[in-house]
Amino acid sequence: MLPEEYPISLQSNGILLSEQLLDCCATHRVSVAVSLDGPAEVHDRFRLTHAGGGTFAQVMAGITQLQAHPAASFLNAGLLAVIDPTSDPAEVYHFFKTVGAPSVDFLYRDGNHSKLPEGKATFNSLEYGQWMAELLAVYAADPAPLPIRVIDDMLKVLLGGSVSKEGLGVTDFGILIIDTDGTLMKNDTLKSTYNGADQFTRPVNIRETDLLTFLASAEFASYRAMQQPTSAKCLACPQLHVCGGGMLLHRWHDANGFDNESIYCADQLHLIGAMRQLLYTYQLV
Ligand code: SF4
């Protein structure tokens, strides 16, 4: 079995990246993506140390170390940014271009129907969708763009292709997290819904379990099935093939669990509309 068939990637906040860790990742073909939300004033708004200070300088030092590693061309898997809808998307995008990462991905902030995401006023408000639509415009106008995974995936689907990662489209992704102590966990983003949402019924550890046996288990199958949208609104939605009903955590409501459209439904519809308009302008649809 080649490592390329089952790529392993480590998501890091960048602070504890060391030469020794990067050597280990290079040896075992584990790529490293770093979480960075934008320039210092954007990143340090939410990403704080236990003492309350911003982590921007430490993250940038980690990225510099990653980029200087002899195996950087393999190791450097790009950036992951959580959107702050109060920031300027053009400023954030152009900052990321200066960092020298091969790509960037953007995530909607954690939140659900019972606990609205920070920066989103109501279910129907468009703060995140408008931010993404502005980012799309900047991206499309750039003659040498920095690849943005989420935008590329959505455009690909609109042009008849398929997505490369969870949270969009209707491709079935089986996401399993291996915690640092070896415990097998569900998608860690589910932690934001209810206590224990990211845990399987009984603790399973990679040191005691055959991974392929667990992947074939009924428990994994039922967790995997949860990622498919079930809400009547999504199943009847003409944009389901692009949006996919959003990430599971964003569908949560304390009253009825995950059987809902994404809390970012209006934002997604706004962004998909902007994408269709863009493709129409370029006479691609
Ligand atoms: S979340 Fe909204 S836009 Fe997305 S598939 Fe469901 S109804 Fe459609």
Side-chain angles (χ1 to χ4, degrees), residues 8 176-186 205-206 211:
I8 303 175
L176 186 69
I177 305 289
I178 303 175
D179 228 333
T180 44
D181 67 354
T183 308
L184 303 185
M185 306 288 286
K186 298 178 184 178
N205 196 291
I206 189 74
L211 186 58

Side-chain angles (χ1 to χ4, degrees), residues 77-96:
L79 302 172
L80 177 64
V82 176
I83 299 167
D84 175 357
T86 66
S87 66
D88 177 350
E91 185 192 348
V92 170
Y93 174 76
H94 289 300
F95 165 74
F96 282 144

Side-chain angles (χ1 to χ4, degrees), residues 231 233-235 237-240 243-246 261-262 264-266 268-269 272:
S231 94
K233 185 173 173 186
C234 289
L235 295 178
C237 176
Q239 310 304 341
L240 177 63
C243 169
E261 70 276 49
S262 170
Y264 290 107
C265 179
Q268 286 291 79
L269 290 172
I272 293 167

Side-chain angles (χ1 to χ4, degrees), residues 9 23 29 53 57 64 92 104 126 184 195 213 218 238 242 266 277 280-281:
S9 185
D23 287 348
R29 304 299 285 169
T64 302
V92 170
V104 60
L126 296 175
L184 303 185
N195 256 346
T213 303
V242 188
Q277 184 59 48
Y280 180 76
T281 306

